[in-house]
């Protein structure tokens, strides 16, 4: 690890706040380096650069947590970006998915519809598998 302006602790920035490498965040959150670079390309994360090295701060770590929670709940990156933008304008102390009742209801309907479509696709594939196995 490279040491930075903080002195002896390579995981601190010059102002004493904790910093994270791309590998640190990937391991902690169970995502790939490619995923983190993708989120950066989409403007969801903004690590500082030291040459070619990405250095993430606590804000980036918190944003990643919110992004992954949003993905877990089935929201698109566009929707998550809008939620993060709303959060930024609110200047709250901690980021969180600020969801309205309408957003929650819409997402429940959307996921229930996806569940129905997945169940239908599974039944179709299981029928085809049974027919193919019987013909073999």
């Amino acid at each position: 690890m490279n040491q930075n302006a903080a002195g002896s602790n390579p995981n601190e920035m010059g102002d004493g706040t904790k910093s994270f490498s791309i590998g640190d965040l990937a391991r902690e959150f169970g995502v790939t380096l490619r995923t983190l670079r993708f989120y950066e390309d989409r403007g969801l994360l903004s690590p500082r650069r030291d040459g070619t090295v990405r250095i993430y701060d606590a804000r980036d770590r918190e944003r990643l947590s919110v992004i992954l929670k949003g993905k877990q709940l089935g929201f698109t990156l566009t929707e998550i970006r809008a939620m993060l933008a709303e959060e930024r304008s609110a200047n709250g102390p901690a980021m969180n998915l600020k969801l309205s009742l309408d957003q929650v209801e819409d997402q429940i309907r959307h996921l229930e519809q996806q569940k129905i479509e997945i169940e239908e696709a599974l039944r179709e594939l299981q029928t085809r598998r049974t027919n193919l196995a019987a013909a073999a």
Side-chain angles (χ1 to χ4, degrees), residues 65-75 80 97 107 111:
S65 178
V66 171
I67 292 164
L68 296 175
K69 176 52 81 175
K71 292 297 292 172
Q72 179 187 18
L73 295 175
F75 290 99
I80 294 167
L97 282 178
Q107 192 64 7
L111 292 173

Side-chain angles (χ1 to χ4, degrees), residues 37-51:
R37 289 189 296 264
F38 178 79
Y39 292 158
E40 181 184 352
D41 289 343
R42 296 300 180 266
L44 295 166
L45 296 175
S46 303
R48 130 179 120 74
R49 296 289 189 124
D50 185 2

Side-chain angles (χ1 to χ4, degrees), residues 3 16 42-43 55 61 77-78 87 91 111-112 122 125:
Q3 291 192 356
R42 296 300 180 266
I55 302 170
R61 184 182 173 279
L77 289 181
T78 301
E87 185 69 34
N91 288 327
L111 292 173
E112 286 175 343
L122 281 170
L125 288 169

Side-chain angles (χ1 to χ4, degrees), residues 76-104:
T76 66
L77 289 181
T78 301
E79 292 167 328
I80 294 167
R81 180 182 299 109
M83 290 176 213
L84 288 171
E86 288 173 22
E87 185 69 34
R88 187 179 306 139
S89 65
N91 288 327
M95 279 187 217
N96 202 344
L97 282 178
K98 300 282 188 194
L99 300 173
S100 69
L101 180 58
D102 285 343
Q103 285 175 305
V104 170

